[in-house]
Amino acid sequence: EAGYGTQATELATRLAVHFERGGEVRRAVQYWQQAGDNAAQRNAYPEAIAALRTGLALITMLPESSERTQRELPLQLILGELLMVPRGMASHEAGEAYSRAHALCQQVGEPRQLFRALWGLIGFHNGHGRLRTGEALGRQLFDLAQRQHDPVLVQASHVIVGGNALYLGNLVAARAHL
């Protein structure tokens, strides 16, 4: 790691394998996440997904703790996003990643992470035509955005809630939000 210096992030896959083989699980997970990020930036989604899955498999070797949860949560969120790109909103694998991320957010997540998890779950359920579930999750998303006083999150939640209302035929609510 020290030998690579500033190139360490660029050579994340090599370092991840090195730390994995050396039994340094925490650092291996960190570099598998970095390798996934690097691949995603190049639009190499299969490679990114494989790196994140390797990191998630290694996380199971760590003892149950808030640290483990905090390490797993961003990997699940990124994995969910990446799985939706090639496989679509209704991807069962993405739904599983977002469901797990949502559960982890209940333990340690911060509001923006919970927002991302809810956003992904809404897309997943809407993709399966479960609009009432998407609507309920949308209300949670909207409430979360309102509590954060973040105009970007509020605007994004209006789009989701308004879109769901439109799909459900509630044109008055759709117009109010959209």
Side-chain angles (χ1 to χ4, degrees):
E1 183 178 38
Y4 288 130
T6 58
Q7 293 180 322
T9 56
E10 297 168 23
L11 301 168
T13 303
R14 185 176 293 174
L15 287 167
V17 170
H18 173 76
F19 283 120
E20 183 179 346
R21 289 181 181 164
E24 293 285 333
V25 174
R26 285 175 178 80
R27 291 175 71 195
V29 168
Q30 170 192 339
Y31 278 108
W32 279 120
Q33 181 177 350
Q34 183 64 54
D37 290 344
N38 292 349
Q41 288 175 5
R42 295 188 321 271
N43 295 325
Y45 298 116
E47 182 182 331
I49 290 166
L52 293 170
R53 285 186 170 153
T54 302
L56 286 167
L58 287 174
I59 280 180
T60 63
M61 299 172 71
L62 296 173
E64 285 284 335
S65 66
S66 62
E67 178 197 356
R68 173 180 160 172
T69 302
Q70 288 172 348
R71 287 181 181 272
E72 181 181 357
L73 180 54
L75 279 103
Q76 293 287 2
L77 288 169
I78 296 165
L79 181 63
E81 292 166 2
L82 292 176
L83 286 166
M84 283 191 170
V85 173
R87 298 190 177 116
M89 299 291 283
S91 162
H92 285 288
E93 294 167 303
E96 289 172 6
Y98 279 121
S99 292
R100 176 69 178 151
H102 185 256
L104 294 170
C105 282
Q106 305 307 315
Q107 299 172 38
V108 299
E110 54 95 12
R112 283 196 172 264
Q113 290 174 318
L114 179 56
F115 192 91
R116 287 172 61 193
L118 286 169
W119 184 278
L121 281 174
I122 292 165
F124 171 74
H125 287 292
N126 285 351
H128 280 275
R130 296 189 290 258
L131 300 178
R132 294 285 178 206
T133 302
E135 178 184 40
L137 292 168
R139 282 194 300 274
Q140 291 177 35
L141 186 81
F142 188 76
D143 292 343
L144 174 65
Q146 296 283 6
R147 287 192 308 271
Q148 298 310 304
H149 306 289
D150 181 332
V152 173
L153 297 182
V154 171
Q155 187 274 337
S157 65
H158 274 297
V159 170
I160 284 288
V161 172
N164 263 50
L166 181 65
Y167 301 148
L168 288 166
N170 186 347
L171 302 183
V172 174
R175 183 170 190 219
H177 285 284
L178 296 173

